[in-house]
Amino acid sequence: MTKIRNLSIFIEEWPLIKPFTISRGTDNSAVVIVVRVDQDGKSGWGESTPYARYDETTDSVKAAIEACRTEIETQANPDVNALGLQGAAANALDCALIDLAAKLKDEPAWRMLGESEPKALITTTTVTLGDPDSMAEDALLFPDQKLIKIKLGSADGDLERVAAVHKARPDAKLICDANEGWSVEQLIEYAPRLKALGIEMIEQPCPAGDDEGLRGLKLPITLCADESCHVASDVADLVGKYQMVNIKLDKTGGLHGALDLVKAAKAHDMGIMVGCMLSTSLAMAPGLIVGQHAEYVDLDAPLALRKDRDHCMEYADGLVRPASPALWG
């Protein structure tokens, strides 16, 4: 078969300014998969972050994309779902193909997808899991950030952690992420106390697959599904357990899947958060298109990097601004 395009796959490591700790462990760098597709003198780029929580490694994701090389290089319009790709593998390829199509058509990706032109949005900055004093110090590192996300889910001391951050930054809106670290009973105990400490929303308090106890709970804080929500077909079962879904392109298998999840969430009157994994601005750029639909935007990963890509996203005054077309889209 005649080649239409050329596929390249890279594994890259981007060191972090400081260790990034959540309830499941600590990372010292962002290890990402980058896909480049070349056609007619144009190059499309996509990035994803394999995640061990979903049984992904850089090698397994790279191998999954490599296994589809013939179809990617020879089909006129390869479709990541038809190729059987999911998660991080699908995301990197889907975003690269969208970027390539936009460049070949000389049309912004957002317009090509029927979306509105991305605007600057308020984004979180993340305070990673640690002792209360160190988390309070971290919250002071970004005084212009208007929205702070607090990583929780440890066995002890979560209320003290929130209290310390709230005291350090009484001016900021607060949300928190337990990363599946609590039981339903802990959530019921914590929710009113967290509300009193300024928390507006709790992300994934209980383990995915063991969250049926959330159904019908009347809590004073909004609950957002993360690990419990990957793709659009997951949404119907979440109604009554959660009020929001966290859309991450590495879960949905790319920007097309993320926009399908936006539609499903809206159809079920669910709120929307857009999130990210540890990654560079190349992964944030398509996420900002989804962010135009979101009540909460969590696209702060580049703030954790020692160095970002050229033509990177601009973070200032608590906002993230759209990427230059030189980066993506």
Side-chain angles (χ1 to χ4, degrees), residues 170-233:
D171 57 307
K173 295 173 63 175
L174 302 179
I175 60 176
C176 68
D177 182 2
N179 281 118
E180 306 180 274
W182 298 338
S183 66
V184 173
E185 291 73 22
Q186 283 175 300
L187 172 64
I188 293 171
E189 176 189 351
Y190 291 168
R193 298 167 73 181
L194 291 171
K195 177 73 172 180
L197 291 170
I199 295 292
E200 296 184 357
M201 180 268 280
I202 302 171
E203 190 180 339
Q204 197 66 44
C206 306
D210 191 23
D211 58 0
E212 189 60 30
L214 301 179
R215 193 176 300 280
L217 278 185
K218 302 299 182 183
L219 298 173
I221 299 181
T222 297
L223 300 185
C224 179
D226 181 4
E227 287 86 351
S228 291
C229 183
H230 288 233
V231 296
S233 59

Side-chain angles (χ1 to χ4, degrees), residues 85-163:
L85 295 175
Q86 298 177 329
N91 180 28
L93 179 60
D94 186 56
C95 290
L97 291 172
I98 291 170
D99 187 35
L100 177 64
K103 288 171 178 173
L104 290 172
K105 293 181 179 181
D106 194 24
E107 182 180 5
W110 58 266
R111 183 178 296 152
M112 189 178 67
L113 294 166
E115 293 293 309
S116 59
E117 183 174 5
K119 303 175 294 186
L121 298 172
I122 295 173
T123 184
T124 62
T125 187
T126 300
V127 172
T128 66
L129 188 64
D131 64 77
D133 288 343
S134 67
M135 293 177 72
E137 291 173 4
D138 287 349
L140 293 170
L141 293 176
F142 299 96
D144 292 334
Q145 292 295 124
K146 304 174 178 68
L147 176 64
I148 294 176
K149 175 175 169 176
I150 307 171
K151 286 289 189 178
L152 301 174
S154 181
D156 299 300
D158 279 344
L159 293 174
E160 290 78 9
R161 292 179 176 97
V162 174

Side-chain angles (χ1 to χ4, degrees), residues 120-123 142 144-146 303 313-321:
L121 298 172
I122 295 173
T123 184
F142 299 96
D144 292 334
Q145 292 295 124
K146 304 174 178 68
L303 293 174
M313 308 281 278
E314 180 188 352
Y315 292 84
D317 303 320
L319 302 172
V320 56
R321 290 176 171 79

